[in-house]
Amino acid sequence: MAKNFFRDFNKFTMKTSYLFKPHKMTQLLTYKIRGRGDFLYRMADSNTGKLVGLMKARPQTVRDSYRRFSPNADEYCSFFINRINACVRNIGVGKAFINIAKKESVRHFCLGNVHLISKNTISPHEVPHLFYRKLGFHCNKYYQVSEKYFDECIKENKPVDIGNCGIEIPMYIEKCVVNQLEQTEKMFWFKIRFPRLFDRL
């Protein structure tokens, strides 16, 4: 039993190895506050105490027969990013929050799945779709043309034309949406047996 558990867990960690690597955040400190619905993650400069960004997110069971996020399942657990705000730009706040969301997805038994709705309604000159695409997010099945366009912009290092993309695009990172119950049970038993190691994921 134990041998099979470690074999299966090793296979899972190999698929999601990036989740277990510590993220280097120079002079940034992140702390989490539990709200009524979402978790609030605040990021501050550890030297000055100044707030540099915040993220609202929560684990969520996606139930969607239209499959507006993952195209491979109607119901699965995923970590939903409600909002990311960077108070200070160009210091890696957004990327750090995405890495935190990936790790929180594992800690909350969402198995590495992350989803969000990318919106360019805040500033017409800053399209976030390209940023999320660079970090591994996929557009849903209704925006595959847009995803190919984003990949072209990334490859050729050119700006995004707002007219060629939607205002709101559902985007996702999929790691495990099929047979989630079996994988969740393995993660649960890992947490029971090795709580300190699980807390460090």
Side-chain angles (χ1 to χ4, degrees):
M1 179 69 179
K3 184 178 180 180
N4 292 336
F5 170 80
F6 282 108
R7 181 194 63 197
D8 294 336
F9 185 74
N10 285 336
K11 289 181 180 178
F12 176 76
T13 54
M14 287 176 66
K15 293 179 181 179
T16 58
S17 59
Y18 69 91
L19 296 168
F20 303 92
K21 296 177 182 178
H23 177 67
K24 296 181 181 179
M25 294 183 293
T26 305
Q27 298 181 344
L28 297 179
L29 175 67
T30 306
Y31 55 97
K32 179 169 76 172
I33 303 172
R34 180 157 195 157
R36 293 184 178 180
D38 296 329
F39 290 103
L40 179 62
Y41 301 81
R42 291 179 176 269
M43 188 175 293
D45 188 312
S46 60
N47 292 327
T48 65
K50 180 181 178 180
L51 182 70
V52 297
L54 61 87
M55 175 176 72
K56 292 183 69 175
R58 66 180 181 273
Q60 183 181 76
T61 300
V62 178
R63 296 184 178 92
D64 185 6
S65 60
Y66 293 101
R67 299 189 176 184
R68 281 168 286 194
F69 292 100
S70 169
N72 299 313
D74 294 342
E75 182 174 339
Y76 56 95
C77 294
S78 181
F79 197 74
F80 175 60
I81 299 175
N82 190 348
R83 185 179 70 184
I84 292 179
N85 286 351
C87 305
V88 180
R89 300 298 182 93
N90 301 320
I91 62 171
V93 172
K95 184 177 180 180
F97 274 136
I98 295 299
N99 286 336
I100 290 171
K102 291 176 180 179
K103 294 180 181 181
E104 286 289 89
S105 177
V106 173
R107 294 190 184 104
H108 290 280
F109 303 103
C110 295
L111 305 178
N113 302 310
V114 183
H115 69 290
L116 53 82
I117 298 177
S118 179
K119 304 177 183 179
N120 66 350
T121 55
I122 298 176
S123 174
H125 304 292
E126 297 180 8
V127 181
H129 315 323
L130 203 65
F131 167 75
Y132 293 124
R133 183 66 185 131
K134 288 179 179 178
L135 294 179
F137 282 83
H138 293 280
C139 300
N140 76 355
K141 60 183 180 181
Y142 303 108
Y143 288 93
Q144 288 304 297
V145 174
S146 295
E147 182 170 306
K148 291 180 181 178
Y149 173 65
F150 298 149
D151 290 342
E152 179 184 336
C153 291
I154 294 172
K155 183 178 180 180
E156 299 180 4
N157 194 27
K158 65 180 183 180
V160 174
D161 182 1
I162 299 176
N164 290 335
C165 58
I167 295 177
E168 296 185 357
I169 299 181
M171 304 185 76
Y172 66 94
I173 291 176
E174 177 184 311
K175 290 298 176 181
C176 178
V177 297
V178 181
N179 298 325
Q180 271 201 334
L181 181 60
E182 179 182 351
Q183 295 293 338
T184 301
E185 288 178 351
K186 292 174 182 178
M187 289 295 294
F188 175 77
W189 284 111
F190 179 80
K191 180 179 181 180
I192 295 298
R193 296 178 182 182
F194 310 101
R196 293 184 179 179
L197 181 58
F198 184 86
D199 290 340
R200 296 182 62 183
L201 295 182

